[in-house]
Amino acid sequence: MAFKNNSTREPIAGKAYASIKRRILDLTLAPGETLSEQRLAAEFGLSRTPVREAFKRLENEGLVDVVPQQGTFVSPIRRELVMDAQFARASLECALVRLASQKRTEHDIVLLLENLEAQERVAARGDFDTLFRLDEEMHEAIAAIAGRPNIWSLISDIKIHMDRARKLTLRPDHIPTLLKQHKAILDAIGAGDPDRAEATMNEHLSFIVEHFDEFIAANPTFVREVVKSIF
């Protein structure tokens, strides 16, 4: 569906940016894929300028590579950026889960367990897109229970390079581990045990970096660097 040009250029550019970014993060646009300014502009019903501005924002975030005389490409999944994102996210979320375990109410626990049950249901039918969304909602809820809901927005920006790698973990053989880790986190919060809550959260968030090579083995081109021209 084309975007309606009924507002200023910045909101229009923002819509193009958000749409392209979403496709990159969910791997609809795969690492290394060529991005056509002209094709996307036609798809969105825009001039090429807002798409060009979106590319620039995405380049600044490390999600797009603009290579002179070659083109614009979806950036590869870069190991160092995944590791940095995990380090920063774990620092914040471990602090949040400690607070959540101290501040949680019975109602909070009920809602968290309902979320976990929903995760188990959608996982059983192989609906990994919904599982990913419920996973996000659980972590966001923990931030809210901790009394720091705005920190989740910060984490969402920090973890963009983790998110593409996380998509590769959503395989039937790894889902039981994911759900087991989520249950351990919620059990620790419910028990009001901040030390155990922090430890289980750290274990959960470390999983992706500890198994990074395994997760990308089936898609080795996803981490291939774009060769930049020296001219």
Side-chain angles (χ1 to χ4, degrees):
M1 179 181 295
F3 295 130
K4 294 181 180 180
N5 191 349
N6 59 359
S7 55
T8 65
R9 191 177 73 182
E10 175 57 29
I12 294 172
K15 289 178 181 178
Y17 159 80
S19 179
I20 298 167
K21 182 175 181 177
R22 183 173 60 252
R23 297 183 198 184
I24 291 172
L25 294 183
D26 68 15
L27 301 181
T28 301
L29 292 171
E33 186 169 340
T34 302
L35 296 175
S36 167
E37 187 179 291
Q38 182 175 357
R39 180 182 63 79
L40 287 168
E43 177 184 341
F44 296 150
L46 301 174
S47 70
R48 295 172 66 168
T49 299
V51 176
R52 189 177 305 120
E53 292 173 357
F55 284 176
K56 185 62 178 177
R57 290 178 66 181
L58 292 164
E59 182 184 21
N60 290 339
E61 293 181 340
L63 294 174
V64 160
D65 288 325
V66 179
V67 184
Q69 300 179 1
Q70 293 188 37
T72 300
F73 306 89
V74 178
S75 296
I77 298 175
R78 294 185 168 97
R79 180 192 305 268
E80 69 276 11
L81 294 181
V82 174
M83 304 303 176
D84 287 348
Q86 185 274 335
F87 179 85
R89 180 180 181 182
S91 298
L92 290 170
E93 286 216 61
C94 285
L96 287 173
V97 81
R98 289 188 67 90
L99 285 174
S101 68
Q102 296 164 345
K103 294 185 174 184
R104 86 284 184 269
T105 66
E106 290 301 318
H107 180 64
D108 292 331
I109 300 305
V110 168
L111 293 179
L112 287 173
L113 291 176
E114 287 178 351
N115 173 281
L116 181 60
E117 290 171 359
Q119 290 184 46
E120 292 169 344
R121 287 196 300 272
V122 300
R125 64 174 185 257
D127 185 354
F128 297 151
D129 287 338
T130 302
L131 177 61
F132 189 90
R133 176 179 59 78
L134 290 167
D135 184 338
E136 294 282 283
E137 290 176 1
M138 185 197 78
H139 285 274
E140 183 176 10
I142 290 171
I145 294 167
R148 296 288 187 272
N150 294 326
I151 298 298
W152 180 249
S153 296
L154 179 59
I155 292 170
S156 294
D157 289 336
I158 287 172
K159 69 185 182 68
I160 57 172
H161 294 287
M162 282 184 71
D163 283 347
R164 290 196 294 169
R166 284 173 62 210
K167 280 287 184 177
L168 301 179
T169 72
L170 295 179
R171 306 182 336 202
D173 54 331
H174 285 110
I175 297 305
T177 298
L178 173 70
L179 295 175
K180 181 180 178 180
Q181 290 174 345
H182 284 175
K183 184 178 187 303
I185 293 167
L186 300 193
D187 286 347
I189 294 173
D193 187 337
D195 291 338
R196 180 154 59 97
E198 178 180 358
T200 54
M201 179 64 79
N202 189 60
E203 179 184 2
H204 174 54
L205 295 178
S206 297
F207 184 75
I208 192 168
V209 298
E210 292 172 354
H211 297 270
F212 183 83
D213 291 332
E214 175 187 352
F215 293 141
I216 59 87
N219 299 281
T221 60
F222 281 11
V223 296
R224 181 179 298 163
E225 298 289 337
V226 174
V227 178
K228 297 188 178 182
S229 172
I230 62 174
F231 299 104

